[in-house]
Amino acid sequence: MASLLNFGVIGTNWITNSFVQSAHESKKFKLVAVYSRRLEAAQKFVSETPSISDASSVKTYEDLDALLSDKSLDVVYIASPNSLHYAQGIKALNAGKHVIVEKPFASNLKEFDELCKLADSKGLFVLEAYRHIQEPNFLKLQALLNDPVKKAEKFGPIYGASVNMAVYSSRYAKVLEGEEPNVLSPKFSGGSLWDMGCYPIMFTLALFGKPVSQAYHPVIIRTGVDGGGHIIMSYSAEASKQKEKFTVHAHTSKIYTSTAPTEIYCEKGTIRVNGATGVTDINTIEFVPSGSKDAEQLADTNPEYTGMLNLTWEAKELGRIVSENDREAESALRSLSRDVLETMEDLRRQNGIVFASEQ
Amino acid sequence: MASLLNFGVIGTNWITNSFVQSAHESKKFKLVAVYSRRLEAAQKFVSETPSISDASSVKTYEDLDALLSDKSLDVVYIASPNSLHYAQGIKALNAGKHVIVEKPFASNLKEFDELCKLADSKGLFVLEAYRHIQEPNFLKLQALLNDPVKKAEKFGPIYGASVNMAVYSSRYAKVLEGEEPNVLSPKFSGGSLWDMGCYPIMFTLALFGKPVSQAYHPVIIRTGVDGGGHIIMSYSAEASKQKEKFTVHAHTSKIYTSTAPTEIYCEKGTIRVNGATGVTDINTIEFVPSGSKDAEQLADTNPEYTGMLNLTWEAKELGRIVSENDREAESALRSLSRDVLETMEDLRRQNGIVFASEQ
């Protein structure tokens, strides 16, 4: 199928702007509709998004049902607050639209399973938007680690990893002043784990598979969600894709910043991953052999492959899956999304963090 | 007391060389005797240690009892393999000598308590040599965090920390070749926790007090000890010196290297500590306020205060304690040493790592 997928967006924040830009660059999508609770926000979004060449071809809605009844729409991209992903996803699927939903997929596994079941019953796709696992440099690292021969030759057995993404959010200052911004509110399925921790967890599971057990040691903030903390994920030799027993430490925060790199510890040396923000937008992958200080660059440092907030690789792959009806790729991504959400839900529940939708 | 303490050393490796150098620089000690199992090693040590101005004034021994019966000796410094600290310490105390023992104090708490009991019964000192907690920059950080007013003003509540010291040892290559070097052997109370993890644990406890619980996720190597891993230490508001609930992640290894900095996460920003090796020999203490990228230097960067393997501060303080018979300072250090050893022993035993002396 060479024709473009017509898509509409729910939500008009900075990530939507970036996705529209990248979706157009991917040559897989064409934006045809924008929904916001306030029509002016939708209109402002259309007029201010540079990659929309013909603003008059994009319809704006403040009524979600009206957007979803638009016959020209193939795909809906959902970038609303986390707590709304489920209900809006159900609506979109019921309207016969494929769904691309921003991370994290849903508030819990129950919502995830219902969304997938409905999509299957209608023959539609529902895909989660994790940009970092579609980036060329991540795929390069993944390919090296998942090739048993190359891995044994280059890295040897894996002894562990530290996967980091801890960046202070100015919205935390609002919390300290008594406000409750969506991203740090249990009402909107917020918190550091759901907003940011999902990245290092997805990074870890995409490389190593699902841990056999996990623990989270968070700081609980005034609103009742986690502000950040340390996660321990344990792998048995049987369960790991790497066929070794090891532990991954993941670190996430929205209430303070860490400059620690992401590192994978191997018998033959340390792999150091530096992204623009933690494990996203990977710029460098350095391998430092044991006992040496000389780093070998494993990343492609072509500027096209690096930089900040490039969602083109994600848009290209998700667009390809829908266009080509690639059910195998969908199944692999869905299985990964489910494992990530199951891991996250366990980490959240073991700390008594409950979202409003679950009360 | 202005006169110098006459001291003898047990062990002739690089750390002994460094201690002798620093002990002389501290102007608290004078080396008078050296013990090694091989007399040539003791003689070689005397002739090759630059700070010994008059080699003929230093006696050499290959018989430990002979060294300990030397009436001119006030203090014995023990830097033998960990498993020998206990028996040699008991011997030295029974011979009426004060003891300075290299970290870690002993193989377990039972040995620690027996050494302290014997020292008390004889009115002698037994002090553990942790150089990093005597360094001016560490003391500066400690003073800032332990002053409630200054801390509240500058840092605000503490949300957690990552304390790192993970450096590949070439002796691990020997293990992979089938050998069993002391430092990685259960026969000599070796392993990453006992050899290197004790530093970040001491750093953590010296700043924050004893955690209410701790967990260790190690990689167990061929010899049966830990090669490295992640430690989680949990603080309750009641137990912590800081009067807050938070978690410290500590990372240690001798089988791979991590370049992650040590960081303390506070409401008002992140304190980043960089030592020559993890948390020892602290060169810089940077404070980066929340939402800012501008680091403020809190360390004294006077070259006299920085650099690698400077044990002078430790020698000065331990020498002062003995010379001035400062029982209050001894009691504080002993309490810290005991807490560290109790924490380490729990971490070791929860992973089934048993030393030969305990079998």
Side-chain angles (χ1 to χ4, degrees):
Chain A
M1 190 160 105
S3 66
L4 295 175
L5 292 163
N6 287 330
F7 80 113
V9 298
I10 296 181
T12 53
N13 55 21
W14 59 273
I15 190 81
T16 312
N17 190 300
S18 196
F19 184 80
V20 168
Q21 187 93 0
S22 297
H24 285 156
E25 274 169 26
S26 78
K27 311 241 186 284
K28 299 280 179 188
F29 293 93
K30 184 180 188 303
L31 182 72
V32 296
V34 174
Y35 162 80
S36 175
R37 276 176 306 161
R38 294 183 304 109
L39 195 62
E40 313 85 77
Q43 287 163 342
K44 189 163 179 278
F45 180 87
V46 170
S47 65
E48 289 180 358
T49 299
S51 73
I52 301 172
S53 50
D54 177 12
S56 67
S57 71
V58 181
K59 283 165 274 184
T60 52
Y61 295 93
E62 61 182 348
D63 176 347
L64 184 56
D65 292 320
L67 171 121
L68 292 174
S69 67
D70 186 327
K71 292 259 181 303
S72 72
L73 271 187
D74 301 308
V75 179
V76 171
Y77 166 79
I78 302 178
S80 52
N82 301 337
S83 59
L84 304 179
H85 292 181
Y86 169 72
Q88 292 173 341
I90 293 284
K91 269 198 172 201
L93 291 168
N94 274 326
K97 313 301 181 193
H98 301 294
V99 169
I100 294 173
V101 60
E102 257 310 321
K103 44 57 58 182
F105 213 118
S107 298
N108 52 50
L109 214 55
K110 187 167 166 281
E111 290 185 359
F112 175 93
D113 285 338
E114 285 179 21
L115 279 164
C116 291
K117 199 177 154 196
L118 182 60
D120 287 347
S121 76
K122 297 193 168 281
L124 294 166
F125 285 94
V126 53
L127 297 162
E128 190 174 18
Y130 268 114
R131 71 181 186 276
H132 61 324
I133 60 165
Q134 305 297 351
E135 290 171 10
N137 278 329
F138 177 82
L139 296 173
K140 201 162 185 178
L141 176 63
Q142 190 177 41
L144 274 169
L145 288 171
N146 287 345
D147 178 328
V149 177
K150 278 191 192 161
K151 187 200 148 213
E153 200 176 281
K154 182 103 193 148
F155 307 123
I158 289 181
Y159 291 154
S162 262
V163 185
N164 292 291
M165 191 149 169
V167 184
Y168 173 79
S169 161
S170 59
R171 281 169 291 181
Y172 182 54
K174 304 279 180 202
V175 172
L176 291 176
E177 289 161 12
E179 295 180 36
E180 191 162 315
N182 296 354
V183 79
L184 290 170
S185 165
K187 297 191 186 76
F188 292 92
S189 304
S192 187
L193 188 61
W194 242 249
D195 185 70
M196 191 162 284
C198 54
Y199 283 109
I201 293 174
M202 174 51 92
F203 179 92
T204 302
L205 270 62
L207 285 183
F208 304 132
K210 191 164 181 276
V212 287
S213 66
Q214 55 272 332
Y216 184 32
H217 306 270
V219 178
I220 303 296
I221 62 172
R222 207 186 45 73
T223 61
V225 298
D226 57 309
H230 297 280
I231 299 161
I232 293 287
M233 291 176 270
S234 303
Y235 286 84
S236 69
E238 297 71 33
S240 165
K241 279 190 190 176
Q242 305 295 324
K243 307 297 171 213
E244 290 133 19
K245 182 177 183 293
F246 60 89
T247 302
V248 176
H249 159 249
H251 187 197
T252 177
S253 174
K254 289 190 77 72
I255 65 175
Y256 56 76
T257 297
S258 168
T259 56
T262 286
E263 297 178 321
I264 301 168
Y265 311 110
C266 310
E267 189 164 292
K268 297 189 177 183
T270 297
I271 304 168
R272 199 163 54 210
V273 178
N274 271 304
T277 308
V279 291
T280 67
D281 315 291
I282 297 171
N283 295 316
T284 60
I285 303 171
E286 292 168 306
F287 179 63
V288 186
S290 296
S292 163
K293 287 193 173 177
D294 298 329
E296 179 194 351
Q297 186 58 257
L298 303 181
D300 195 327
T301 53
N302 181 333
E304 188 195 352
Y305 286 6
T306 58
M308 183 67 183
L309 257 182
N310 185 345
L311 285 70
T312 308
W313 311 102
E314 163 199 320
K316 203 178 266 182
E317 175 61 3
L318 300 186
R320 185 198 67 74
I321 290 173
V322 175
S323 302
E324 297 177 8
N325 195 36
D326 186 343
R327 292 291 169 181
E328 203 175 319
E330 181 207 26
S331 167
L333 280 184
R334 184 186 286 189
S335 161
L336 197 50
S337 284
R338 194 179 194 283
D339 285 349
V340 167
L341 198 60
E342 195 172 3
T343 303
M344 284 169 59
E345 193 173 344
D346 180 44
L347 295 173
R348 183 164 63 80
R349 293 198 189 269
Q350 65 185 231
N351 284 286
I353 305 162
V354 180
F355 291 151
S357 61
E358 300 167 332
Q359 278 180 325
Chain B
M1 190 161 104
S3 67
L4 296 175
L5 294 162
N6 287 329
F7 81 114
V9 300
I10 297 182
T12 54
N13 55 21
W14 60 273
I15 190 81
T16 313
N17 189 299
S18 196
F19 184 79
V20 169
Q21 187 92 1
S22 297
H24 284 155
E25 276 170 26
S26 77
K27 312 243 187 281
K28 299 280 179 189
F29 294 93
K30 183 180 189 305
L31 183 72
V32 296
V34 174
Y35 162 80
S36 174
R37 278 175 306 161
R38 295 180 305 108
L39 195 62
E40 313 86 77
Q43 288 163 341
K44 188 164 179 278
F45 180 87
V46 171
S47 66
E48 290 181 356
T49 298
S51 73
I52 300 172
S53 51
D54 176 13
S56 67
S57 71
V58 181
K59 284 165 273 185
T60 52
Y61 297 93
E62 62 182 346
D63 176 348
L64 184 56
D65 292 321
L67 171 119
L68 293 174
S69 67
D70 186 327
K71 293 259 182 302
S72 72
L73 270 187
D74 302 308
V75 179
V76 172
Y77 166 79
I78 303 177
S80 52
N82 302 336
S83 59
L84 305 179
H85 292 181
Y86 169 71
Q88 292 174 341
I90 293 283
K91 270 198 172 202
L93 291 168
N94 276 325
K97 312 300 181 194
H98 300 294
V99 170
I100 294 173
V101 60
E102 257 309 320
K103 43 59 56 184
F105 214 117
S107 298
N108 52 51
L109 213 54
K110 189 168 165 281
E111 290 185 358
F112 175 92
D113 286 337
E114 286 179 19
L115 279 164
C116 292
K117 199 178 154 194
L118 182 60
D120 288 346
S121 76
K122 296 193 168 281
L124 294 165
F125 284 95
V126 53
L127 297 162
E128 189 173 20
Y130 268 114
R131 72 181 185 277
H132 61 324
I133 60 165
Q134 306 296 353
E135 289 171 10
N137 277 329
F138 176 82
L139 295 173
K140 201 162 183 176
L141 175 63
Q142 191 178 39
L144 274 169
L145 287 171
N146 287 345
D147 178 327
V149 177
K150 279 191 190 160
K151 188 200 145 209
E153 200 177 281
K154 181 101 194 151
F155 307 123
I158 290 181
Y159 291 155
S162 261
V163 185
N164 290 291
M165 191 149 169
V167 184
Y168 173 79
S169 162
S170 58
R171 282 169 290 182
Y172 183 54
K174 304 280 179 202
V175 173
L176 292 175
E177 287 161 12
E179 294 180 37
E180 191 162 316
N182 296 354
V183 79
L184 291 169
S185 165
K187 295 192 188 76
F188 292 91
S189 305
S192 186
L193 189 59
W194 242 249
D195 185 69
M196 192 162 284
C198 55
Y199 284 109
I201 292 174
M202 174 51 92
F203 179 92
T204 303
L205 270 63
L207 286 183
F208 304 132
K210 191 163 181 277
V212 287
S213 67
Q214 54 273 333
Y216 185 32
H217 306 270
V219 178
I220 304 296
I221 62 173
R222 206 187 44 73
T223 60
V225 298
D226 57 309
H230 297 279
I231 298 161
I232 292 287
M233 290 175 270
S234 303
Y235 285 84
S236 70
E238 296 71 32
S240 165
K241 280 190 192 176
Q242 304 297 323
K243 307 299 169 212
E244 290 132 18
K245 183 178 184 291
F246 59 88
T247 302
V248 175
H249 158 251
H251 187 199
T252 178
S253 174
K254 289 191 76 73
I255 65 176
Y256 57 76
T257 297
S258 167
T259 57
T262 286
E263 296 178 321
I264 301 168
Y265 311 110
C266 311
E267 188 164 294
K268 297 189 177 181
T270 297
I271 304 168
R272 198 162 54 208
V273 179
N274 271 303
T277 307
V279 290
T280 68
D281 315 290
I282 296 171
N283 294 317
T284 60
I285 303 171
E286 292 169 305
F287 179 64
V288 187
S290 297
S292 164
K293 288 191 173 176
D294 298 328
E296 179 194 350
Q297 186 58 256
L298 303 181
D300 194 328
T301 54
N302 181 333
E304 187 194 351
Y305 287 7
T306 57
M308 181 68 182
L309 255 181
N310 185 345
L311 285 71
T312 308
W313 311 102
E314 163 199 322
K316 204 178 267 183
E317 174 63 2
L318 301 186
R320 185 198 66 75
I321 290 173
V322 175
S323 302
E324 298 178 6
N325 194 36
D326 186 344
R327 293 290 169 181
E328 202 177 319
E330 181 207 28
S331 166
L333 281 184
R334 185 186 285 187
S335 160
L336 198 50
S337 285
R338 194 178 195 282
D339 286 349
V340 167
L341 198 60
E342 193 171 4
T343 304
M344 283 169 60
E345 193 173 342
D346 180 46
L347 295 173
R348 183 163 64 79
R349 294 199 190 268
Q350 67 185 228
N351 284 285
I353 304 163
V354 180
F355 291 152
S357 62
E358 301 167 330
Q359 278 179 328

